[in-house]
Amino acid sequence: QLSDQQKMSESPLSWFRGVYLPPALRPLNKTLVKGGKWKDVDSTQEKRRSFLHDFCKKYNSRKQLRTHLVHLVSRIYVEDRHKVLYCEVPKAGCSNWKRVLMVLNGLAASAHNISHDDVHYGKHLRKLDSYDLKGIYTRLNTYTKTIFVRDPMERLVSAFRDKFEHPNSYYHPVFGKAIIKKYRHNANEEALKTGSGVKFKEFIQYLLDSHRPVGMDIHWEQVSNLCYPCLINYDFIGKFETLEEDANYFLQLVGAPAELKFPKFKDRHSSDERTSAEVVRQYLKELSKEERQLTYDFYYLDYLMFNYTSP
């Protein structure tokens, strides 16, 4: 146990490297929560927190941190006014979370008036890796850190539908062309030229290939590799399945303005049916039993960490 003075006198990075993880589970500060209606949400939250903490204790078993601190926090958004750190998990409500952070930051009056392009390409929000080491270290230790996750198969199918079943000027030429070229044996010239029309089975072949023709992407990367939940001690674990109540409870915890509620709208392709367990079942039918098992294995850690039932 290092004294606070010792910790601060050394470089934050060297301190981080030497720590055995996971760190102690900090109690949530609930002084700003008003009314008794959050009792059930709070009880669920405490269960999720201790479940993840216990899992990490077993899984890490005195593993030392080997990842560079700056890489570790590269997906974390910072909101300094309310002292919030939010780790972005794509396809788990992240667009609306970024809208909320912009409102909290005073960059917009309402979450409903912010366009998709403004959210994703506007560069309005700072990420934690843009601060110096002391700035990173201080915020990790004093801000309320949150992560929102989703059933891994639902997240995967949602990403596939979004990126490959709709026109897309990036994913079709970059991923689509490479996938069709490698995994479709009798591909026609048009498909090879545009990269459009990737089938789910082809996408899964790419995902499971240790020699992928094109790299990973954050939309289907494992949460364990995006947010490092066993290395960063998240104070709040939200789930897409209970997104609204989790998000609105979290906003209470950090003292957000009373009128700010988490937006309900679907960010894009709003006429499409939401990716539900039933939709996922239809997609998984296209795979062999072995492919289904290997896909589950690929997301095994995410299933375990966040206590999702295997499909």
Side-chain angles (χ1 to χ4, degrees):
Q1 293 287 313
L2 295 171
S3 73
D4 284 349
Q5 210 173 353
Q6 274 176 294
K7 282 182 207 169
M8 291 313 283
S9 65
E10 294 178 33
S11 99
L13 190 60
S14 68
W15 181 77
F16 236 91
R17 278 216 179 99
V19 169
Y20 286 110
L21 298 153
L25 192 57
R26 276 195 323 193
L28 260 180
N29 180 355
K30 298 167 190 173
T31 49
L32 297 170
V33 177
K34 294 171 183 66
K37 72 169 190 170
W38 300 108
K39 215 170 113 193
D40 290 349
V41 188
D42 177 64
S43 152
T44 302
Q45 187 53 228
E46 289 303 341
K47 282 178 194 144
R48 285 178 194 162
R49 279 159 45 86
S50 48
F51 183 90
L52 178 62
H53 190 261
D54 291 346
F55 167 78
C56 291
K57 231 171 17 193
K58 283 190 214 113
Y59 170 71
N60 270 337
S61 62
R62 295 180 71 76
K63 233 188 217 176
Q64 278 191 298
L65 176 55
R66 300 261 176 261
T67 315
H68 195 288
L69 176 61
V70 174
H71 174 71
L72 211 67
V73 300
S74 62
R75 307 257 22 111
I76 295 180
Y77 284 90
V78 179
E79 198 283 286
D80 281 315
R81 280 184 173 188
H82 298 80
K83 300 194 168 178
V84 170
L85 297 181
Y86 162 71
C87 188
E88 175 188 30
V89 175
K91 312 313 296 174
C94 72
S95 301
N96 280 339
W97 258 118
K98 286 195 234 175
R99 288 184 172 94
V100 166
L101 292 178
M102 285 169 74
V103 174
L104 287 174
N105 231 328
L107 298 166
S110 158
H112 292 268
N113 307 334
I114 308 167
S115 73
H116 176 269
D117 284 2
D118 246 5
V119 165
H120 290 287
Y121 311 114
K123 303 275 187 277
H124 302 292
L125 297 166
R126 274 187 83 171
K127 283 190 179 164
L128 193 49
D129 62 356
S130 69
Y131 293 82
D132 63 16
L133 284 178
K134 188 168 183 283
I136 293 173
Y137 174 77
T138 306
R139 284 170 178 79
L140 277 176
N141 275 302
T142 57
Y143 284 22
T144 308
K145 302 176 288 296
T146 184
I147 180 175
F148 272 70
V149 298
R150 185 177 187 175
D151 175 276
M153 288 294 184
E154 276 190 28
R155 190 177 151 243
L156 176 69
V157 171
S158 175
F160 172 78
R161 293 174 77 201
D162 181 25
K163 303 305 174 196
F164 296 102
E165 292 186 351
H166 294 275
N168 192 300
S169 59
Y170 172 71
Y171 284 91
H172 292 202
V174 174
F175 286 87
K177 276 159 84 165
I179 289 171
I180 289 169
K181 187 178 177 190
K182 183 160 186 183
Y183 307 107
R184 190 178 297 176
H185 301 306
N186 51 359
N188 64 37
E189 220 171 299
E190 178 69 7
L192 289 167
K193 199 171 97 186
T194 64
S196 297
V198 169
K199 295 180 173 69
F200 186 63
K201 191 178 175 74
E202 295 166 339
F203 173 64
I204 294 301
Q205 286 175 300
Y206 143 78
L207 185 79
L208 301 174
D209 188 347
S210 55
H211 302 289
R212 290 186 199 101
V214 58
M216 268 306 270
D217 182 87
I218 58 167
H219 291 84
W220 44 86
E221 179 70 273
Q222 300 102 320
V223 177
S224 49
N225 288 341
L226 288 172
C227 296
Y228 300 97
C230 278
L231 302 181
I232 292 170
N233 204 1
Y234 289 97
D235 301 294
F236 191 94
I237 300 148
K239 290 196 170 182
F240 186 79
E241 294 75 12
T242 49
L243 178 60
E244 248 175 274
E245 57 184 7
D246 288 350
N248 288 325
Y249 178 49
F250 180 78
L251 289 173
Q252 284 260 313
L253 283 170
V254 298
E259 65 279 4
L260 178 61
K261 298 282 179 278
F262 193 80
K264 291 181 184 179
F265 60 84
K266 195 170 186 283
D267 193 43
R268 293 202 300 170
H269 317 310
S270 51
S271 59
D272 285 8
E273 184 189 350
R274 271 198 187 273
T275 304
S276 61
E278 188 43 52
V279 169
V280 169
R281 205 168 285 124
Q282 299 309 316
Y283 279 83
L284 293 182
K285 277 181 186 170
E286 296 174 31
L287 308 180
S288 69
K289 197 175 173 187
E290 188 192 13
E291 285 167 331
R292 286 200 292 270
Q293 180 62 48
L294 289 169
T295 307
Y296 169 71
D297 295 345
F298 186 82
Y299 291 106
Y300 183 58
L301 264 189
D302 288 0
Y303 273 100
L304 288 187
M305 281 180 174
F306 303 108
N307 202 12
Y308 278 110
T309 313
S310 57

